[in-house]
Amino acid sequence: QPTAQLSASKTTTSTGPYIPTSAVSFRLSFGASGSSPSNIINAPVVADLLPLNVNYVSYTFNANGSALNAPTFTSIPNFQGTGRTLLRWTFTGTMNRGQTAYIDLNTTLSAGTPNGSIQNTFGVSVNDMPMVNGTPDTQDWDGDTQTTDSIVTTNTSVFVDQLVGLDSQKRVRGELDSEYSVFPNYGRTVPNGDIDYRLTIINRGNIPVRNVRVIDILPFVGDTGVQDTRPRGSVWRPILTSLIAPQSGVT
């Protein structure tokens, strides 16, 4: 009976350092090892369970001289309730012993991805012939409803650096407005009309930031920017009409 011995390797093809929102690219190489008892006569299934904070963008496939056809690709969000996305490529065709094909996978890191190492694993299996290597496919990555058949897995890691990334956004709503707007749009009011400003402070980094101090300079005639010191062009000034009620923990 034909029996397969699969090979798998995973490398990072992009270059760090990596911070939240960085693009990260991987190469998933797979095939029948040179010592495999048989060729792969029933096409392989390749699967990658993306880690948390790693987001699928796109892929390209290269048969690399093998007789594999373009795969059927499936993306399964929140695979088995893990909160992670499973990517699965199901192939048709054959691979001879010693042949290797590969998938170039493009991903991005989520905003706020924690500092530290992220390990990414992929696996390859064949559904219709025995394998002499691998471990049980307990999560059914290959989608054949079996959890005792074999899958060969391998992984690689990327390191996410610390990022201090404070950002802010200021919105305005005038008396004639139904919602807030942000530059370059503007609010509308009338003489002696109300104006509400909403200032949002955002930590786009991946480490906590404490003791933040925020300064807000209200417009006045002849004012300039704070970092960009060119004239702001203000032709009137607002008047503070009530005390500011800060959120809990804010002075």
Side-chain angles (χ1 to χ4, degrees), residues 183-197:
F183 183 83
N185 297 324
Y186 50 84
R188 299 175 303 156
T189 189
V190 296
N192 296 318
D194 290 336
I195 309 165
D196 291 327
Y197 290 108

Side-chain angles (χ1 to χ4, degrees), residues 19-61:
I19 58 174
T21 72
S22 288
V24 187
S25 298
F26 302 96
R27 173 162 289 184
L28 287 60
S29 301
F30 58 95
S33 69
S35 57
S36 177
S38 306
N39 299 331
I40 298 178
I41 56 176
N42 296 299
V45 178
V46 175
D48 191 328
L49 184 61
L50 294 179
L52 294 174
N53 296 307
V54 177
N55 309 294
Y56 167 73
V57 176
S58 63
Y59 80 91
T60 56
F61 166 65

Side-chain angles (χ1 to χ4, degrees), residues 150-169:
S150 294
I151 187 169
V152 175
T153 60
T154 187
N155 59 68
T156 190
S157 299
V158 296
F159 187 82
V160 182
D161 289 336
Q162 289 186 348
L163 173 66
V164 178
L166 282 181
D167 197 2
S168 64
Q169 185 180 73

